[in-house]
Amino acid sequence: MAVKGTFRRIKWAILFITLGIYYFLPFIRFDRGPNAPDQAVLVDLAGRRGYFFFIEIWPQEVYYITGLLIIAAVALFLMNAVAGRVWCGYLCPQTVWTDLFLYVERKIEGDRRARMALDREPWTAGKVGRRATKHFLWLMIAWWTGGAWVLYFSDAPTLVYNLATLQAPFSAYLWIAILTTTTYLLAGFMREQVCIYMCPWPRIQAALTDEKALNVTYKWDRGEPRGSLKQNKALELKGLPAGDCVDCHQCVHVCPTGVDIRKGTQLDCIQCGLCIDACDNVMEKVGKPTGLIGYDTDENIERRIEGKESVYEIVRVRTVVYAAVIALVGGIMLFALLTRDFADINVLHDRNPIFVTQTDGSIRNGYTVRLLNKRNHERNFMLHVEGMPAGTSVEAVGIDTTFAGRPIIEVGADTTREVRVLVNSPAGVKMPKSTEIVFRLTESVMGEVVTADDYFKAP
Amino acid sequence: MSDNHKPELDQISGVETTGHEWDGLKELNNPLPRWWLYTFYACIVWAIGYWVVYPSWPMVSSYASGVIGDSQRANALAAYDAGIAERASIGNQLVEASFEDIRTTPNLLEFASANGRAAFGDNCAPCHGSGAVGSPGYPNLQDDNWIWGGTVEDIHTTLLYGIRSDHDEARFGDMPAFGTDELLTREEISQVASYVASKTGLEPEEGVDLAAGETLYVDNCAACHGEDLKGMIEVGAPNLTSATYLYGKSVDAIKAQIYSPRNGVMPAWEARLDPATIKSLAVYVHSFGGGQ
Ligand code: SF4
Ligand code: SF4
């Protein structure tokens, strides 16, 4: 049944914005220079990089993903503490796609009553045509939805071209097929069954909520006793209490999960607000104030019965704690992002042998040094080892360029390089069993410095 | 438990109960949606199909092999053969290439290093140790002390023909047994040993005539070990000024070696390993960092 009203409009707006972002974001370009992909948002699995506009995530930085997941979870809790399952009703992809699918269905087959009539009709050409059109459009939406996902993992325009010319990798077709099928089945057929039987969130949500959270609520203190318009008028004339609910069942008909909200908040209710719009329409028609069904709290019903004012405590311990956690994690991530190095060094000491005595009596230690250059251009790093006596020689195997005895190591744009570094103590110097040393890497142009601690071992 | 056969209705929800009761609570019978059950049945059908298509049941002497005859063992063997074939091709390139080419061609170098590492563990580690640091009598391959030369070509030659092996091209460098063959007296051996010790950072024996030792050294040893004691790679005469000695660095060890020298044997690997592997080993050993 087509409902009109505030909440329906909000849902359309969110649908346009979220799907718009999801479908078109991969096509946005972002110039990162000659050696890097120019797709604004890209997960480059082969190159093991994640790109988000000016942010570039390396594999060893996946903790940003952890941070995002924590923020997402706590944001869900926060939404729940403020207004119940707003996520489910407005933002969940399952809801959004299902809404779009329902819209298509309604446009082609009419509203609920018309569809039920169509179901009973024999299979005429007209019915076949309508059904086919509906499924075709559904498949198209599902296909674009599945296809858009794949675009986040490859250069979008190229992939689209390759897909069209049948040159794309098999896995691209496979994933599009899988995601198209699942979207088609989940949004076209299973719909809110997913919310009721498959989704774990309602169970968790029920345990996290309290009586101060806004929920789609039937204000039974105002609506009961319900009765037809006529019945209630009669009651009023007799001076008996009569509720505002005219028992028209509009709220039940529009409900995607078939909930009768007048029985109270239930697991099946995804808080989509459609019953609010439906009831408001009825209230307007019968000349009663709207809001018989609305966002309200359990607490307020009790308060009104006791004759007290309604209160909306958005700022509570719960919401403040959730908001603080979000701010904290976000702050840490932002700090890490702003202060992160664009170079890095990892040092691994040889384990076998730990040291080698040379002909001239000097001691040699071997290290595997891994350098990271996160800039988009080739850079030179000067390697210096601190903490060794004068006369120590530092050699990077395979690297001939040195400056004042310090190897200059060239690391290509946006890559890592592994070099074997041999540190030779001076001949004639008796080294202690273990010496603390520091590998210091200095970038030649910007002077960026990164260090790593290690030990020099001797007999 | 109730033994009521007629399904009982729950008073409040109006739903059938299963008849099970715990502590006064009755379990309601809310069946799963139909599609969910069908999905479950479909999974069962799928599993049966799987049994038919793929290997499944063990049988008395064999197993149900499945109609398409898929076998992980056969797949693994095929992958193994493919790997061998690929190795053979890059192995051929390795045999053709010069050491300089190998050094500057990343994929050859990578293959040689990996192949060399594996071959080293299988063939060389028993004597030279898994970390290639050797032990008394077995040279340390990590340091810069090379009796028969430490360039990659030298190492390759040593690997191919061995030292004092039974290969025709094997290199020999026999140190005379000055004591057992009675070429020098015990006292003279003491003098030479003390002289060598004095030149290489060890304390000579007390009261030994170093000048006599020097004369004896020049007459008997310098031909191979050189006047400067630095040894001679061509005949495998070790550098006596080195901080490390193959058979131990002490005056007693030097004396023992002069009296009745031990001459280690390195097998010739030409007959046992293929050329690509030997070349890989040379590259790998040279990459320890002590190579010349
Ligand atoms: S009762 Fe139904 S229509 Fe109302 S908010 Fe819940 S799911 Fe939506
Ligand atoms: S739509 Fe409003 S008036 Fe109609 S039955 Fe529901 S609550 Fe009552």
Side-chain angles (χ1 to χ4, degrees):
Chain A
M1 180 152 317
V3 219
K4 291 206 177 57
T6 323
F7 293 97
R8 185 62 265 181
R9 274 198 295 277
I10 296 176
K11 278 168 73 73
W12 284 134
I14 291 177
L15 184 144
F16 271 108
I17 296 168
T18 52
L19 285 188
I21 294 175
Y22 173 62
Y23 288 152
F24 297 105
L25 192 57
F27 294 97
I28 296 177
R29 305 287 96 187
F30 188 85
D31 187 19
R32 289 193 186 83
N35 299 311
D38 58 357
Q39 183 154 323
V41 179
L42 176 69
V43 181
D44 182 359
L45 289 178
R48 308 220 284 153
R49 295 284 181 279
Y51 299 96
F52 186 84
F53 291 91
F54 59 92
I55 301 173
E56 186 184 325
I57 303 291
W58 281 51
Q60 52 273 72
E61 292 171 330
V62 281
Y63 52 79
Y64 285 116
I65 310 289
T66 316
L68 286 177
L69 288 175
I70 295 174
I71 290 182
V74 183
L76 202 54
F77 297 167
L78 179 61
M79 279 192 227
N80 174 48
V82 172
R85 288 170 70 180
V86 267
W87 165 264
C88 306
Y90 301 88
L91 290 160
C92 176
Q94 171 68 15
T95 303
V96 171
W97 284 316
T98 303
D99 251 12
L100 192 57
F101 274 56
L102 289 179
Y103 175 78
V104 169
E105 183 170 68
R106 213 158 41 232
K107 278 290 145 195
I108 293 170
E109 298 186 346
D111 66 11
R112 185 178 138 100
R113 217 166 297 137
R115 285 203 305 276
M116 282 168 28
L118 187 70
D119 277 343
R120 284 191 297 271
E121 259 177 46
W123 283 95
T124 60
K127 180 170 172 178
V128 171
R130 282 215 231 165
R131 279 281 150 91
T133 320
K134 175 179 88 175
H135 287 284
F136 174 75
L137 286 177
W138 276 5
L139 274 168
M140 285 294 115
I141 299 171
W143 167 73
W144 198 352
T145 310
W149 181 259
V150 178
L151 297 182
Y152 284 87
F153 295 85
S154 181
D155 183 62
T158 321
L159 183 60
V160 169
Y161 176 80
N162 287 343
L163 283 168
T165 52
L166 297 180
Q167 290 168 347
F170 174 71
S171 63
Y173 293 103
L174 182 70
W175 276 106
I176 293 176
I178 292 174
L179 294 169
T180 304
T181 317
T182 47
T183 311
Y184 175 66
L185 290 177
L186 289 177
F189 298 93
M190 288 159 68
R191 300 181 180 174
E192 59 303 320
Q193 306 244 16
V194 174
C195 315
I196 302 172
Y197 299 104
M198 298 169 88
C199 176
W201 176 232
R203 282 94 190 150
I204 304 168
Q205 188 267 346
L208 282 171
T209 196
D210 65 5
E211 73 286 354
K212 289 174 191 294
L214 284 170
N215 273 311
V216 174
T217 308
Y218 166 68
K219 299 173 186 162
W220 52 267
D221 58 308
R222 179 184 143 191
E224 298 297 317
R226 68 182 85 144
S228 72
L229 204 50
K230 232 192 257 164
Q231 269 173 353
N232 281 4
K233 281 252 167 66
L235 281 176
E236 263 168 50
L237 285 178
K238 281 191 224 153
L240 290 172
D244 281 353
C245 172
V246 295
D247 207 11
C248 64
H249 278 84
Q250 289 306 305
C251 51
V252 182
H253 287 324
V254 298
C255 176
T257 63
V259 163
D260 184 347
I261 190 65
R262 295 173 300 168
K263 289 183 185 163
T265 315
Q266 295 147 66
L267 179 88
D268 300 7
C269 169
I270 57 168
Q271 311 253 319
C272 62
L274 293 184
C275 53
I276 303 183
D277 285 340
C279 187
D280 281 354
N281 291 343
V282 174
M283 288 297 113
E284 269 162 25
K285 260 183 226 140
V286 300
K288 296 251 167 76
T290 58
L292 175 55
I293 303 178
Y295 276 97
D296 203 356
T297 68
D298 288 351
E299 190 190 24
N300 275 342
I301 294 186
E302 304 291 339
R303 289 179 70 94
R304 279 195 299 271
I305 291 172
E306 291 165 24
K308 292 191 215 153
E309 283 284 288
S310 303
V311 289
Y312 298 99
E313 291 177 69
I314 301 290
V315 183
R316 314 198 297 275
V317 176
R318 242 174 228 261
T319 52
V320 170
V321 169
Y322 290 148
V325 172
I326 294 175
L328 181 75
V329 177
I332 293 173
M333 283 172 62
L334 194 65
F335 179 77
L337 196 64
L338 293 178
T339 58
R340 67 181 184 157
D341 291 323
F342 286 92
D344 204 354
I345 178 172
N346 288 306
V347 178
L348 192 69
H349 195 294
D350 281 3
R351 274 184 299 173
N352 185 10
I354 290 173
F355 56 80
V356 178
T357 310
Q358 303 292 83
T359 319
D360 60 4
S362 63
I363 308 295
R364 195 188 81 201
N365 278 211
Y367 305 84
T368 304
V369 174
R370 180 186 277 271
L371 306 179
L372 270 78
N373 172 18
K374 300 186 196 173
R375 294 279 187 199
N376 277 321
H377 50 87
E378 195 175 88
R379 296 198 291 168
N380 290 319
F381 295 92
M382 186 172 74
L383 178 67
H384 177 42
V385 176
E386 289 170 355
M388 290 295 288
T392 297
S393 80
V394 176
E395 184 198 341
V397 175
I399 287 168
D400 303 327
T401 346
T402 56
F403 175 77
R406 299 171 182 178
I408 307 281
I409 306 167
E410 191 181 279
V411 188
D414 203 25
T415 48
T416 60
R417 176 166 184 188
E418 212 174 75
V419 280
R420 208 170 128 68
V421 172
L422 304 174
V423 179
N424 241 321
S425 76
V429 173
K430 171 105 180 78
M431 293 299 294
K433 261 191 156 22
S434 180
T435 312
E436 277 181 46
I437 58 171
V438 178
F439 284 80
R440 179 180 291 271
L441 210 62
T442 314
E443 201 269 324
S444 62
V445 179
M446 305 286 288
E448 195 180 338
V449 173
V450 281
T451 59
D453 299 340
D454 213 296
Y455 291 91
F456 185 90
K457 300 282 187 184
Chain B
M1 286 267 264
S2 107
D3 47 10
N4 209 346
H5 286 296
K6 249 230 242 72
E8 184 186 357
L9 288 190
D10 176 59
Q11 296 291 320
I12 297 156
S13 61
V15 176
E16 266 179 31
T17 76
T18 59
H20 304 161
E21 184 180 331
W22 289 276
D23 284 347
L25 295 176
K26 288 200 177 141
E27 186 184 16
L28 300 187
N29 182 16
N30 278 314
L32 279 172
R34 206 86 60 72
W35 61 266
W36 187 267
L37 281 176
Y38 288 148
T39 310
F40 177 57
Y41 298 144
C43 288
I44 295 176
V45 172
W46 174 267
I48 293 170
Y50 215 90
W51 290 341
V52 174
V53 174
Y54 283 101
S56 51
W57 299 109
M59 305 210 287
V60 179
S61 58
S62 142
Y63 60 93
S65 59
V67 293
I68 61 167
D70 183 72
S71 154
Q72 286 302 318
R73 190 183 155 77
N75 294 348
L77 285 176
Y80 178 75
D81 289 342
I84 297 275
E86 197 190 321
R87 256 177 63 128
S89 113
I90 191 159
N92 285 339
Q93 290 177 44
L94 203 64
V95 174
E96 308 276 292
S98 72
F99 283 109
E100 181 56 27
D101 288 345
I102 295 174
R103 197 174 72 85
T104 52
T105 315
N107 75 322
L108 282 183
L109 184 61
E110 204 178 302
F111 176 80
S113 305
N115 197 25
R117 171 173 299 139
F120 189 90
D122 289 347
N123 301 290
C124 318
C127 290
H128 291 284
S130 60
V133 287
S135 55
Y138 301 96
N140 181 345
L141 305 177
Q142 289 265 4
D143 66 11
D144 60 345
N145 192 356
W146 295 95
I147 298 171
W148 292 96
T151 66
V152 66
E153 286 84 4
D154 288 335
I155 297 171
H156 191 225
T157 309
T158 306
L159 276 160
L160 280 174
Y161 312 131
I163 307 293
R164 302 182 194 93
S165 68
D166 47 16
H167 194 282
D168 291 343
E169 313 239 357
R171 287 178 297 183
F172 284 86
D174 277 336
M175 166 123 169
F178 288 97
T180 42
D181 290 351
E182 296 177 357
L183 301 173
L184 294 177
T185 65
R186 275 190 187 275
E187 197 195 345
E188 285 170 326
I189 289 175
S190 257
Q191 288 165 341
V192 177
S194 280
Y195 170 72
V196 169
S198 74
K199 295 297 246 183
T200 182
L202 291 171
E203 276 299 311
E205 284 180 310
E206 257 174 59
V208 168
D209 185 350
L210 289 183
E214 177 165 10
T215 318
L216 284 166
Y217 178 85
V218 172
D219 292 347
N220 295 286
C221 319
C224 291
H225 290 285
E227 304 239 351
D228 56 0
L229 286 79
K230 292 243 194 268
M232 203 187 291
I233 282 169
E234 292 72 27
V235 294
N239 176 358
L240 301 178
T241 64
S242 168
T244 56
Y245 273 33
L246 186 54
Y247 293 105
K249 188 163 181 177
S250 69
V251 180
D252 285 343
I254 297 171
K255 271 167 37 181
Q257 187 65 8
I258 298 172
Y259 193 88
S260 164
R262 284 171 286 178
N263 289 305
V265 173
M266 158 101 171
W269 293 97
E270 198 184 28
R272 304 207 214 169
L273 298 175
D274 61 274
T277 304
I278 295 181
K279 224 161 171 179
S280 303
L281 273 171
V283 170
Y284 177 64
V285 168
H286 188 257
S287 77
F288 289 144
Q292 289 154 346

PDB file of all heavy atoms in Angstrom, chain A residues 241-253:
ATOM      1  N   PRO A 241     -15.237   7.045  28.401  1.00  0.00           N
ATOM      2  CA  PRO A 241     -13.946   7.259  27.738  1.00  0.00           C
ATOM      3  C   PRO A 241     -13.907   6.553  26.392  1.00  0.00           C
ATOM      4  O   PRO A 241     -14.378   5.418  26.282  1.00  0.00           O
ATOM      5  CB  PRO A 241     -12.947   6.620  28.718  1.00  0.00           C
ATOM      6  CG  PRO A 241     -13.741   5.670  29.539  1.00  0.00           C
ATOM      7  CD  PRO A 241     -15.144   6.213  29.607  1.00  0.00           C
ATOM      8  N   ALA A 242     -13.417   7.267  25.392  1.00  0.00           N
ATOM      9  CA  ALA A 242     -13.271   6.668  24.059  1.00  0.00           C
ATOM     10  C   ALA A 242     -11.887   7.016  23.525  1.00  0.00           C
ATOM     11  O   ALA A 242     -11.444   8.147  23.646  1.00  0.00           O
ATOM     12  CB  ALA A 242     -14.342   7.213  23.126  1.00  0.00           C
ATOM     13  N   GLY A 243     -11.213   6.016  22.930  1.00  0.00           N
ATOM     14  CA  GLY A 243      -9.869   6.250  22.412  1.00  0.00           C
ATOM     15  C   GLY A 243      -9.902   6.858  21.032  1.00  0.00           C
ATOM     16  O   GLY A 243     -10.961   6.945  20.393  1.00  0.00           O
ATOM     17  N   ASP A 244      -8.723   7.289  20.571  1.00  0.00           N
ATOM     18  CA  ASP A 244      -8.630   7.899  19.240  1.00  0.00           C
ATOM     19  C   ASP A 244      -8.482   6.871  18.133  1.00  0.00           C
ATOM     20  O   ASP A 244      -8.667   7.174  16.974  1.00  0.00           O
ATOM     21  CB  ASP A 244      -7.432   8.853  19.193  1.00  0.00           C
ATOM     22  CG  ASP A 244      -7.783  10.183  19.857  1.00  0.00           C
ATOM     23  OD1 ASP A 244      -8.973  10.358  20.204  1.00  0.00           O
ATOM     24  OD2 ASP A 244      -6.874  11.016  20.017  1.00  0.00           O
ATOM     25  N   CYS A 245      -8.097   5.662  18.466  1.00  0.00           N
ATOM     26  CA  CYS A 245      -7.877   4.667  17.415  1.00  0.00           C
ATOM     27  C   CYS A 245      -9.215   4.217  16.888  1.00  0.00           C
ATOM     28  O   CYS A 245     -10.078   3.775  17.646  1.00  0.00           O
ATOM     29  CB  CYS A 245      -7.099   3.472  17.955  1.00  0.00           C
ATOM     30  SG  CYS A 245      -7.011   2.120  16.756  1.00  0.00           S
ATOM     31  N   VAL A 246      -9.369   4.339  15.547  1.00  0.00           N
ATOM     32  CA  VAL A 246     -10.638   3.960  14.970  1.00  0.00           C
ATOM     33  C   VAL A 246     -10.604   2.535  14.424  1.00  0.00           C
ATOM     34  O   VAL A 246     -11.485   2.125  13.679  1.00  0.00           O
ATOM     35  CB  VAL A 246     -11.060   4.955  13.868  1.00  0.00           C
ATOM     36  CG1 VAL A 246     -11.322   6.313  14.485  1.00  0.00           C
ATOM     37  CG2 VAL A 246      -9.989   5.041  12.779  1.00  0.00           C
ATOM     38  N   ASP A 247      -9.592   1.810  14.788  1.00  0.00           N
ATOM     39  CA  ASP A 247      -9.493   0.391  14.447  1.00  0.00           C
ATOM     40  C   ASP A 247      -9.604   0.146  12.944  1.00  0.00           C
ATOM     41  O   ASP A 247     -10.237  -0.814  12.510  1.00  0.00           O
ATOM     42  CB  ASP A 247     -10.580  -0.392  15.201  1.00  0.00           C
ATOM     43  CG  ASP A 247     -10.149  -1.840  15.442  1.00  0.00           C
ATOM     44  OD1 ASP A 247      -8.951  -2.138  15.206  1.00  0.00           O
ATOM     45  OD2 ASP A 247     -10.985  -2.649  15.855  1.00  0.00           O
ATOM     46  N   CYS A 248      -8.953   1.035  12.171  1.00  0.00           N
ATOM     47  CA  CYS A 248      -9.057   0.915  10.721  1.00  0.00           C
ATOM     48  C   CYS A 248      -8.037  -0.037  10.132  1.00  0.00           C
ATOM     49  O   CYS A 248      -8.058  -0.344   8.950  1.00  0.00           O
ATOM     50  CB  CYS A 248      -8.907   2.286  10.074  1.00  0.00           C
ATOM     51  SG  CYS A 248      -7.264   2.971  10.390  1.00  0.00           S
ATOM     52  N   HIS A 249      -7.083  -0.482  10.923  1.00  0.00           N
ATOM     53  CA  HIS A 249      -6.056  -1.441  10.490  1.00  0.00           C
ATOM     54  C   HIS A 249      -5.114  -0.910   9.421  1.00  0.00           C
ATOM     55  O   HIS A 249      -4.389  -1.690   8.810  1.00  0.00           O
ATOM     56  CB  HIS A 249      -6.690  -2.755  10.003  1.00  0.00           C
ATOM     57  CG  HIS A 249      -7.021  -3.663  11.146  1.00  0.00           C
ATOM     58  ND1 HIS A 249      -8.190  -3.560  11.868  1.00  0.00           N
ATOM     59  CD2 HIS A 249      -6.335  -4.680  11.715  1.00  0.00           C
ATOM     60  CE1 HIS A 249      -8.211  -4.469  12.818  1.00  0.00           C
ATOM     61  NE2 HIS A 249      -7.090  -5.155  12.759  1.00  0.00           N
ATOM     62  N   GLN A 250      -5.145   0.383   9.174  1.00  0.00           N
ATOM     63  CA  GLN A 250      -4.214   0.926   8.176  1.00  0.00           C
ATOM     64  C   GLN A 250      -2.761   0.670   8.603  1.00  0.00           C
ATOM     65  O   GLN A 250      -1.911   0.313   7.800  1.00  0.00           O
ATOM     66  CB  GLN A 250      -4.414   2.450   8.018  1.00  0.00           C
ATOM     67  CG  GLN A 250      -5.696   2.822   7.317  1.00  0.00           C
ATOM     68  CD  GLN A 250      -5.823   2.123   5.985  1.00  0.00           C
ATOM     69  OE1 GLN A 250      -4.935   2.227   5.140  1.00  0.00           O
ATOM     70  NE2 GLN A 250      -6.909   1.386   5.796  1.00  0.00           N
ATOM     71  N   CYS A 251      -2.528   0.835   9.894  1.00  0.00           N
ATOM     72  CA  CYS A 251      -1.159   0.658  10.395  1.00  0.00           C
ATOM     73  C   CYS A 251      -0.681  -0.766  10.165  1.00  0.00           C
ATOM     74  O   CYS A 251       0.499  -0.995   9.891  1.00  0.00           O
ATOM     75  CB  CYS A 251      -1.085   1.034  11.879  1.00  0.00           C
ATOM     76  SG  CYS A 251      -2.340   0.234  12.897  1.00  0.00           S
ATOM     77  N   VAL A 252      -1.595  -1.721  10.228  1.00  0.00           N
ATOM     78  CA  VAL A 252      -1.188  -3.115  10.030  1.00  0.00           C
ATOM     79  C   VAL A 252      -0.956  -3.391   8.554  1.00  0.00           C
ATOM     80  O   VAL A 252      -0.009  -4.075   8.162  1.00  0.00           O
ATOM     81  CB  VAL A 252      -2.253  -4.063  10.602  1.00  0.00           C
ATOM     82  CG1 VAL A 252      -1.814  -5.517  10.451  1.00  0.00           C
ATOM     83  CG2 VAL A 252      -2.526  -3.739  12.070  1.00  0.00           C
ATOM     84  N   HIS A 253      -1.828  -2.825   7.702  1.00  0.00           N
ATOM     85  CA  HIS A 253      -1.691  -3.089   6.269  1.00  0.00           C
ATOM     86  C   HIS A 253      -0.378  -2.579   5.697  1.00  0.00           C
ATOM     87  O   HIS A 253       0.197  -3.213   4.825  1.00  0.00           O
ATOM     88  CB  HIS A 253      -2.859  -2.432   5.513  1.00  0.00           C
ATOM     89  CG  HIS A 253      -4.142  -3.151   5.715  1.00  0.00           C
ATOM     90  ND1 HIS A 253      -4.211  -4.519   5.821  1.00  0.00           N
ATOM     91  CD2 HIS A 253      -5.417  -2.700   5.848  1.00  0.00           C
ATOM     92  CE1 HIS A 253      -5.463  -4.888   6.015  1.00  0.00           C
ATOM     93  NE2 HIS A 253      -6.226  -3.796   6.044  1.00  0.00           N
TER      94      HIS A 253
END
